[in-house]
Amino acid sequence: MNGRKILLVVGGGIAAYKVPELVRAWTKAGAEVRCVLTEAASSFVSPLVLQSLTQAPVRQSLFDPGEEGQIGHIEVADWAELVVVAPATADLLARMAQGMANDLATTVLLATRAPVLVVPAMNVNMWDHAATQANLETLRERGVLVEGPDSGELACGWEGQGRMSDPEAIAARTSLLLGTRSMHGNRMVVTAGGTREPIDAVRSVTNRSSGKMGYAIAAEAARRGAEVVLISGPTGLATPAGVRRVDVETALEMRTSVLAEFDAARIIVMSAAVADFRPANASDRKIKKEDLADGEGLQLEMVRNPDILAEISARRDQRVVVGFAAESHDVLPAARRKLARKGCDLLVANDISRSDAGFETDENAVILLTPDGDTEELPLLPKTEVASRILDRVEKLCGARE
Ligand code: CTP
């Protein structure tokens, strides 16, 4: 956390009394902290206490010439590496979801490009309300991260979900989010999800890839400070914080997007399940069944898609290229052959015959293979952890190529 810049936006809720403890945990760990309070927040926590703990002016007003003269509100938004909203009241979440900028706190939240972590705290019924949940969903879709709330006895006398997470838990989460910066300065392209190849106006050929592995890699790389472009097939997953996402459908679109990002990339991770074949003549109208009798066949001609991984591996120069292999039998020999055929620097092999790993699950058991014959078999791990192990190897490969 040493020297890392955290902007704390404090909402007006009773849980704000825990905020000095949180700030203390951060400053003890060496972080630089600045605080912005909503008007209501200063009724629950003293700005002077926060000013003393952070040794920096506490800002409360958008229109105070004195405050604005010292540090402009956009400057505060740009300064932050991470923005934490704690406590995030129902009102503040609603205003964030609406994109409002009617006070300093919401203006800064709208202007910042840093990842935002919200730590909700409110009465259980306010938390359960459909409006609050819809606002949170909107924020999540935009990449806002959420910590808590916990369940238990609430300050208002009710019991249930709505307690702000403990300062210790928030500090642990933020230290994780700020990450190591070990990939700072590297542009990385990650492909994820399955492609969708149209048959006609309503039907397509696709596969069972959920995209979770690729999204976990993109999230972890961003956490390590890489500039990440995620080229994604249709998935329904939220874009990880700090990641630029490019949506594609077909293998040909994916190839075009990968090639467009290729020159500027240092690392390319092809975790997408790219369809090997596409219907040769996709119809832009719906194919009708009325001309066919029951049991009568419909011929669908398929043609091979370009192999994106092989193509980029062949012209990679100093870039580090990682491929994936989905194998259903003889995993290791098949993966070794695939590595040789594709010509990438690291191959991540999945045994897709396992029901507890691979497609659509949150865990994965993979084997990492390199061209020098090295093989590392990882145990069954959460995909987030697998992502971390893959990136440790990628960092080593980048280091060796410097
Ligand atoms: N891949 C690709 N372009 C394709 C097919 C696959 O870039 N047209 C990439 C995938 O993103 C993955 C790797 O190649 O990183 C291996 O994918 P996989 O489906 O396991 O291998 P295939 O090349 O399709 O070989 P096969 O289906 O014969 O096992």
Side-chain angles (χ1 to χ4, degrees):
M1 299 275 270
N2 210 12
R4 310 304 300 277
K5 300 184 177 89
I6 304 172
L7 175 67
L8 175 65
V9 176
V10 186
I14 176 66
Y17 80 89
K18 294 188 198 166
V19 155
E21 207 183 316
L22 172 62
V23 171
R24 186 78 192 105
W26 282 332
T27 53
K28 258 173 96 173
E32 273 184 61
V33 185
R34 286 194 184 162
C35 298
V36 165
L37 271 61
T38 63
E39 205 187 325
S42 51
S43 306
F44 295 98
V45 62
S46 149
L48 195 60
V49 168
L50 296 177
Q51 189 158 306
S52 307
L53 288 174
T54 58
Q55 298 185 349
V58 169
R59 291 215 45 182
Q60 296 180 75
S61 163
L62 192 53
F63 304 112
D64 183 307
E67 282 189 10
E68 193 64 19
Q70 275 183 332
I71 340 153
H73 60 278
I74 300 297
E75 207 182 315
V76 179
D78 289 346
W79 170 88
E81 282 179 76
L82 176 69
V83 180
V84 178
V85 186
T89 59
D91 172 70
L92 198 44
L93 291 171
R95 289 191 289 137
M96 284 174 75
Q98 286 299 312
M100 288 173 80
N102 55 351
D103 64 0
L104 178 66
T106 47
T107 305
V108 166
L109 283 163
L110 203 57
T112 189
R113 299 204 58 210
V116 176
L117 173 72
V118 295
V119 190
M122 65 196 76
N123 163 271
V124 57
N125 299 326
M126 292 169 83
W127 171 254
D128 284 340
H129 200 287
T132 303
Q133 290 305 315
N135 289 333
L136 265 168
E137 200 41 48
T138 303
L139 293 171
R140 276 204 182 95
E141 275 168 18
R142 289 185 200 143
V144 170
L145 302 160
V146 184
E147 170 69 29
D150 291 346
S151 288
E153 210 175 290
L154 304 176
C156 54
W158 281 75
E159 280 237 5
Q161 211 176 353
R163 275 168 70 101
M164 188 171 91
S165 293
D166 285 334
E168 216 173 280
I170 306 169
R173 177 83 187 269
T174 47
S175 115
L176 203 72
L177 285 173
L178 283 167
T180 60
R181 312 295 289 168
S182 51
M183 296 185 78
H184 183 71
N186 288 299
R187 164 98 56 121
M188 178 162 135
V189 175
V190 185
T191 65
T195 62
R196 189 190 275 169
E197 312 294 328
I199 297 171
D200 67 11
V202 291
R203 305 178 181 98
S204 57
V205 180
T206 186
N207 59 62
R208 285 174 48 209
S209 169
S210 64
K212 285 180 181 169
M213 193 64 244
Y215 275 59
I217 292 171
E220 176 61 16
R223 203 180 71 83
R224 294 181 184 206
E227 193 185 325
V228 185
V229 183
L230 174 62
I231 300 174
S232 175
T235 65
L237 299 174
T239 309
V243 167
R244 173 161 69 87
R245 179 165 127 189
V246 178
D247 288 326
V248 297
E249 291 222 342
T250 66
L252 292 179
E253 284 170 14
M254 185 166 275
R255 176 177 175 274
T256 304
S257 294
V258 170
L259 294 183
E261 302 291 342
F262 180 82
D263 283 346
R266 171 88 172 97
I267 303 151
I268 303 173
V269 179
M270 287 290 304
S271 64
V274 185
D276 289 321
F277 305 97
R278 67 178 182 278
N281 303 301
S283 163
D284 52 10
R285 303 173 63 168
K286 187 179 173 197
I287 300 171
K288 305 296 279 181
K289 68 170 184 280
E290 59 209 14
D291 299 337
L292 297 173
D294 265 7
E296 208 179 329
L298 171 74
Q299 292 293 327
L300 199 60
E301 196 195 339
M302 306 284 280
V303 290
R304 236 192 93 156
N305 272 326
D307 190 321
I308 310 168
L309 177 60
E311 184 178 350
I312 57 169
S313 294
R315 42 182 284 218
R316 69 180 186 279
D317 293 330
Q318 296 303 305
R319 294 173 191 81
V320 170
V321 177
V322 181
F324 275 68
E327 306 295 346
S328 58
H329 52 280
D330 296 333
V331 178
L332 202 52
R336 196 139 288 292
R337 283 196 300 277
K338 196 168 282 181
L339 175 62
R341 206 168 62 235
K342 303 271 187 176
C344 52
D345 300 293
L346 177 69
L347 191 84
V348 183
N350 283 291
D351 179 351
I352 56 165
S353 64
R354 290 176 67 141
S355 60
D356 57 352
F359 285 136
E360 292 163 338
T361 63
D362 288 324
E363 294 191 312
N364 213 356
V366 302
I367 307 174
L368 306 180
L369 298 94
T370 47
D372 58 9
D374 183 47
T375 302
E376 184 187 359
E377 198 166 338
L378 300 181
L380 186 65
L381 292 167
K383 283 183 175 170
T384 47
E385 182 59 31
V386 176
S388 189
R389 304 283 189 103
I390 293 170
L391 291 181
D392 287 347
R393 295 288 287 259
V394 166
E395 285 192 37
K396 273 200 192 124
L397 288 166
C398 285
R401 211 160 273 182
E402 240 138 43

